[in-house]
Amino acid sequence: GESVGLHLPTLSVQEGDNSIINCAYSNSASDYFIWYKQESGKGPQFIIDIRSNMDKRQGQRVTVLLNKTVKHLSLQIAATQPGDSAVYFCAETPNTDKLIFGTGTRLQVFP
Amino acid sequence: DADVTQTPRNRITKTGKRIMLECSQTKGHDRMYWYRQDPGLGLQLIYYSFDVKDINKGEISDGYSVSRQAQAKFSLSLESAIPNQTALYFCATSDFGDEQFFGPGTRLTVL
């Protein structure tokens, strides 16, 4: 079946550096993508989304890039802070019914 | 997210027992979802509902049932709990085609 996956299960970065979390998706029909952040013991929290008619979208310290040609999604976090430590999930919507989540990438920020 | 609440937050039960997890939302969304998350993994969709009269199976519905009592309430039942249903359970809500808002989760342990 179709699936969303992540290249790196764990990413360690130094505080202040930029982080890049990658995601590969396989369903070319997907037209909506979301990045979620999940801190320990909490539910996933929306970070940023992007629709397939865009290739870049920026938020506060975060940028999502979408490359539909190679079915790749990335989340860039500028000036990574300790509070950014969490598991990050990408999710795609192949139709308007539901989201398909990837397995997640753990971001560890060290001083 | 305080707009989506789940009860109980933690539950320990024995094999064969019937368990109900409850979800309530104040966001006024029509769509509600139940997910399961196993340690170190992403979220798997159990059931979803687009309105009170609409219930749909997700990826892993076997062993689970749901009830949409009202627009704001969506409950998940395990008719006869088994140990491999030990997991974190999340409820989520959304508007049509938009991001999903997650509850804080219920940690279920089946002995």
Side-chain angles (χ1 to χ4, degrees):
Chain A
E2 304 276 9
S3 65
V4 174
L6 292 174
H7 297 307
L8 299 174
T10 302
L11 177 66
S12 296
V13 299
Q14 189 167 23
E15 183 178 355
D17 286 352
N18 297 333
S19 303
I20 300 176
I21 301 172
N22 296 303
C23 176
Y25 66 95
S26 57
N27 194 325
S28 57
S30 292
D31 60 2
Y32 180 55
F33 305 86
I34 305 176
W35 279 101
Y36 283 93
K37 172 185 180 182
Q38 186 177 23
E39 296 175 279
S40 181
K42 297 183 179 180
Q45 181 181 13
F46 172 88
I47 301 174
I48 192 168
D49 59 1
I50 189 168
R51 299 199 181 269
S52 58
N53 61 349
M54 303 173 68
D55 53 20
K56 181 179 180 179
R57 189 162 189 226
Q58 289 184 290
Q60 186 177 12
R61 284 200 307 117
V62 294
T63 301
V64 55
L65 299 178
L66 174 62
N67 186 330
K68 295 181 288 293
T69 302
V70 295
K71 300 190 185 74
H72 185 266
L73 192 69
S74 68
L75 176 70
Q76 300 178 1
I77 304 174
T80 311
Q81 302 169 0
D84 294 326
S85 294
V87 177
Y88 290 81
F89 294 95
C90 65
E92 63 172 323
T93 305
N95 52 50
T96 55
D97 285 356
K98 52 188 180 289
L99 292 173
I100 298 175
F101 285 84
T103 53
T105 294
R106 181 173 301 280
L107 177 64
Q108 297 176 329
V109 183
F110 58 92
Chain B
D1 192 331
D3 296 322
V4 183
T5 58
Q6 293 183 232
T7 56
R9 294 295 314 279
N10 289 281
R11 182 72 184 269
I12 300 174
T13 190
K14 295 182 179 180
T15 298
K17 294 291 187 180
R18 184 179 187 274
I19 297 297
M20 179 180 285
L21 309 182
E22 299 188 358
C23 176
S24 295
Q25 53 112 349
T26 59
K27 299 190 75 68
H29 291 162
D30 285 327
R31 299 185 170 198
M32 297 187 74
Y33 309 79
W34 274 105
Y35 290 91
R36 166 182 171 152
Q37 186 177 35
D38 293 288
L41 298 179
L43 288 86
Q44 295 176 282
L45 183 62
I46 307 173
Y47 271 95
Y48 60 105
S49 169
F50 286 172
D51 64 39
V52 176
K53 298 179 182 179
D54 178 78
I55 301 290
N56 304 281
K57 292 183 178 181
E59 305 166 72
I60 55 164
S61 59
D62 288 348
Y64 302 94
S65 62
V66 291
S67 175
R68 185 80 183 267
Q69 301 95 323
Q71 186 204 36
K73 296 184 182 296
F74 192 35
S75 61
L76 175 72
S77 294
L78 287 69
E79 297 301 326
S80 180
I82 56 178
N84 75 4
Q85 290 178 311
T86 294
L88 270 172
Y89 290 85
F90 289 101
C91 174
T93 75
S94 74
D95 268 337
F96 178 84
D98 285 342
E99 67 180 278
Q100 293 183 15
F101 295 84
F102 286 82
T106 294
R107 184 175 297 279
L108 177 66
T109 302
V110 183
L111 302 176

